[in-house]
């Protein structure tokens, strides 16, 4: 396998062979160590998501789908009502691990629908159908990433300078990723890009994961601190910004890793196209605007201590640590889904990718 394939064809989340566990790459140890974790219990699954051992909106959804299947297999009853009661408990518990990425509740709801629609089939058959559904969620994500990558690549030129924030590559999804997908696909086709990866404080997904993935795949990647984005744009080194998304509201307001909205503001000032890439499962039409999106708040220690040999701030200082921010739709040039490229007005163009017809759109708005 070429280095590129080792990155684009990695199974960072998978169902254990006997169906009793979920196996993930522990992303908190990268890039230094590649270690796999075997998750079997509700607590192990919850902690893996909460502590970002598995992270990135689509990967969280895939893990949750596998996870609820593993837990459902462990429910020791043939009685449907009792089975569903315990299933719901596990569902709610896993769903509470992280609030912002809609893919978590989306995947769990999809699994719940299998249970609800097949009541008459009995518990054994339901378990079989749950297994098929969680494997389908992963398979569909692979296809969606590929398609997003193709649409995204159509917006880029050979030699472009690209800025990306956080990590929306294969580790955050399956196969190509979303925001990094066009770059990996372009590389496969012989194109060259000059990528600037924001380190992405405080959890450093850009430094630890994006630069790792792109470098392994043989792309030209330069790591910068978040506060250097403005300078590289001013220098004329960036022709497009590509970012992922955790929840897209009906009007196009987009929640993504903290710092994304700052990049979008800068891109608008320097007249650089700002593209959001994500599967249609990340669009949440029940959120009218970004104000409806719940933002995850995390521990101050991530700012003050984590990744440092000694604390870098006074022990008692107050910290505000939102894990995501919302980029205003007016700053987004286009939202690229597996079904096509959505352009403003998003209240109209985002509706079509969410329709369940399966056919491709090319350009909306
Ligand atoms: O907190 P994280 O690392 O899970 O946040 C990840 C992001 O914000 C990604 O950009 C987003 O989930 C898209 S991943 C394809």
């Amino acid at each position: 396998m070429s280095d590129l394939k080792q990155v684009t064809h990695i199974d960072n989340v998978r169902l254990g062979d006997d169906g009793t566990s979920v196996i993930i790459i522990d992303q908190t140890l990268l890039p230094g160590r590649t270690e796999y974790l075997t998750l079997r219990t509700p607590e192990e699954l919850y902690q893996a998501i909460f502590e970002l051992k598995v992270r990135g909106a689509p990967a969280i959804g895939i893990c949750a789908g596998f996870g609820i299947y593993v837990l459902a297999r462990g429910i020791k009853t043939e009685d449907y009502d009792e089975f569903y009661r315990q299933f719901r408990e596990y569902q709610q518990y896993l769903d509470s691990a992280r609030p912002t990425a809609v893919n978590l509740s989306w995947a769990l709801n999809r699994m719940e629908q299998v249970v609800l629609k097949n009541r008459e089939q009995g518990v054994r058959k339901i378990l079989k159908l749950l297994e098929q559904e969680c494997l389908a969620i992963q398979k569909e994500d692979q296809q969606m990433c590929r398609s997003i990558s193709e649409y995204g690549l159509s917006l880029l030129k050979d030699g472009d300078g690209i800025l990306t924030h956080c990590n929306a590559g294969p580790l955050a999804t399956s196969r190509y990723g979303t925001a990094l997908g066009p770059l990996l696909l372009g590389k496969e086709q012989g194109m060259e890009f000059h990528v600037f990866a924001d380190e992405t404080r405080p959890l450093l997904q850009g430094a630890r994961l994006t630069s790792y993935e792109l470098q392994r795949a043989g792309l030209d990647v330069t790591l910068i601190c978040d506060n250097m984005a403005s300078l590289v744009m001013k220098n004329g080194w960036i022709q497009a910004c590509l970012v992922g998304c955790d929840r897209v509201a009906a009007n196009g307001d987009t929640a993504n890793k903290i710092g994304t909205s700052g990049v979008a503001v800068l891109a608008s000032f320097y007249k650089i196209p700002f593209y959001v890439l994500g599967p249609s499962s990340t669009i949440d039409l029940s959120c009218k605007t970004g104000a409806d999106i719940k933002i995850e708040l995390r521990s101050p220690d991530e700012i003050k201590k984590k990744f440092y040999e000694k604390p870098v701030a006074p022990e008692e200082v107050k910290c505000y640590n939102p894990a995501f921010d919302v980029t205003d739709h007016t700053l987004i040039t286009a939202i690229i889904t597996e079904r096509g490229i959505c352009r403003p007005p998003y209240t109209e163009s985002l509706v079509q990718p969410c329709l369940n017809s399966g056919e491709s759109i090319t350009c909306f708005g």
Side-chain angles (χ1 to χ4, degrees), residues 52 54-60 98 101 103 165-169 172-173 177-179 203 205 209 243-246 255-258 260 277-279 296 298 323-324:
L52 276 68
V54 54
R55 51 147 297 284
I60 293 171
R98 296 192 75 189
N103 308 61
H165 191 76
C166 193
N167 171 263
T173 59
T178 56
L203 293 184
Q205 289 91 333
L209 308 174
V243 298
C245 47
D246 285 83
N256 191 49
K257 180 51 54 192
I258 189 71
T260 302
L277 299 93
E296 176 184 4
R298 295 187 62 89
F324 301 93

Side-chain angles (χ1 to χ4, degrees), residues 209-224:
L209 308 174
T210 296
S211 62
Y212 166 77
E213 285 183 324
L214 293 182
Q215 197 174 51
R216 277 183 89 208
L219 274 94
D220 173 38
V221 55
T222 305
L223 178 63
I224 57 172

